[in-house]
Amino acid sequence: MSEVLTKVVIDCETGVQSVVELTVEEIAQREADAVAFAEAEAERTAAAEALAALKESAKAKLIAGEPLTEEEAATIVL
Amino acid sequence: MATQVKIASATVGSGGAASITFSSIPQNYTDLRIKLYTRSSTGETPGVLYFNSDTTDSNYYVRRMLGEGGSSTGSTSFTNTPYNFYMATTSATANSFAIADISIPNYTSATLYKTPLTVGATENNGSYAILQLITGRWMKSPIEAISTIQIRPYVAGGATFVEGCSFTLYGISKQ
């Protein structure tokens, strides 16, 4: 038997609290959210890794006395 | 002096809940405040606030700052994703919950975008804790007063709120 997903709805005007099964549309929205989340996290992770790599490169070049690229220089907070 | 009044609250029962919705929010306050104690049914943590049944992600924007141990993640902008809070996960000590305090100023305004501000902490009652400072913006056009707030996990793997999660909505009047 598949899991039945429910939501809690609180009517602030009456104080009535209801537990309601999700609609087909709401279930579809959850699934769409899952896809969007995975894509957003992949982008965020890639950006964070790229930034970390630039910082490491900038640090190594500073120590070695080598010129930095503009991208590497931009990672330095002054 | 501002006064704070509890409008409504809910605690998740056995079986968990996919979302919590506060509907028919009274329009006679200046600001809203929501206090959340949350734990996810999975290992993923982001949670979202949707206003007035608007689930169009491109209408939302957040910028967050996270602090963990001696380091911090600088302000990260997320467009099109309303991550307004983070939950405790299944790896946290049993019966421990993340906390979040979300303020929504000028929620009845028909001219100002709504900007939820979250101060929170996620910890596992053990080896780690993460501080969160998140500011968001709801940019639906035309601008609307908030009458409904839906709160839910925004994650993969079918996450839900587990039993014991609690949500309290307050109205704040400025005098």
Side-chain angles (χ1 to χ4, degrees):
Chain A
M1 186 171 72
S2 61
E3 179 189 10
V4 174
L5 293 172
T6 58
K7 60 185 179 182
V8 177
V9 181
I10 306 102
D11 185 319
C12 296
E13 196 172 306
T14 63
V16 172
Q17 190 170 135
S18 309
V19 178
V20 183
E21 286 187 20
L22 294 191
T23 64
V24 170
E25 290 78 17
E26 288 170 331
I27 292 172
Q29 180 68 57
R30 280 173 57 85
E31 293 168 356
D33 286 352
V35 171
F37 172 75
E39 290 175 355
E41 281 296 291
E43 281 183 27
R44 186 188 63 78
T45 301
E49 289 173 351
L51 178 60
L54 274 177
K55 285 183 173 182
E56 280 301 310
S57 176
K59 181 179 175 182
K61 286 184 177 179
L62 281 173
I63 293 171
E66 296 173 4
L68 277 62
T69 64
E70 190 168 337
E71 271 189 318
E72 290 164 339
T75 67
I76 299 173
V77 178
L78 297 175
Chain B
M1 191 170 78
T3 57
Q4 177 173 288
V5 175
K6 176 180 168 182
I7 297 173
S9 66
T11 300
V12 176
S14 62
S19 67
I20 305 295
T21 298
F22 291 106
S23 66
S24 301
I25 296 172
Q27 300 292 294
N28 56 313
Y29 298 102
T30 308
D31 309 320
L32 293 176
R33 184 179 184 186
I34 312 171
K35 302 195 84 169
L36 298 80
Y37 295 87
T38 58
R39 183 182 176 108
S40 169
S41 62
T42 70
E44 301 289 353
T45 64
V48 301
L49 266 62
Y50 285 126
F51 302 116
N52 296 0
S53 303
D54 178 15
T55 57
T56 302
D57 285 349
S58 59
N59 288 336
Y60 296 88
Y61 167 93
V62 295
R63 183 180 287 269
R64 69 173 190 184
M65 182 173 287
L66 304 180
E68 180 179 9
S71 65
S72 65
T73 302
S75 184
T76 302
S77 295
F78 289 94
T79 55
N80 305 329
T81 51
Y83 298 168
N84 292 110
F85 64 96
Y86 286 78
M87 302 176 280
T89 71
T90 50
S91 65
T93 300
N95 301 313
S96 65
F97 295 81
I99 60 173
D101 194 324
I102 305 177
S103 298
I104 307 173
N106 304 308
Y107 75 104
T108 65
S109 174
T111 58
L112 296 174
Y113 289 135
K114 308 306 175 287
T115 54
L117 172 63
T118 303
V119 177
T122 303
E123 54 90 27
N124 72 347
N125 204 242
S127 57
Y128 81 86
I130 302 176
L131 305 178
Q132 309 151 26
L133 190 61
I134 305 170
T135 182
R137 190 189 311 151
W138 179 40
M139 302 174 289
K140 183 182 178 183
S141 179
I143 295 173
E144 300 175 358
I146 294 175
S147 60
T148 302
I149 300 175
Q150 184 192 69
I151 307 168
R152 61 184 174 92
Y154 187 94
V155 292
T160 58
F161 294 122
V162 301
E163 180 180 3
C165 291
S166 70
F167 307 82
T168 306
L169 177 67
Y170 299 91
I172 298 175
S173 299
K174 292 178 184 172
Q175 299 173 356

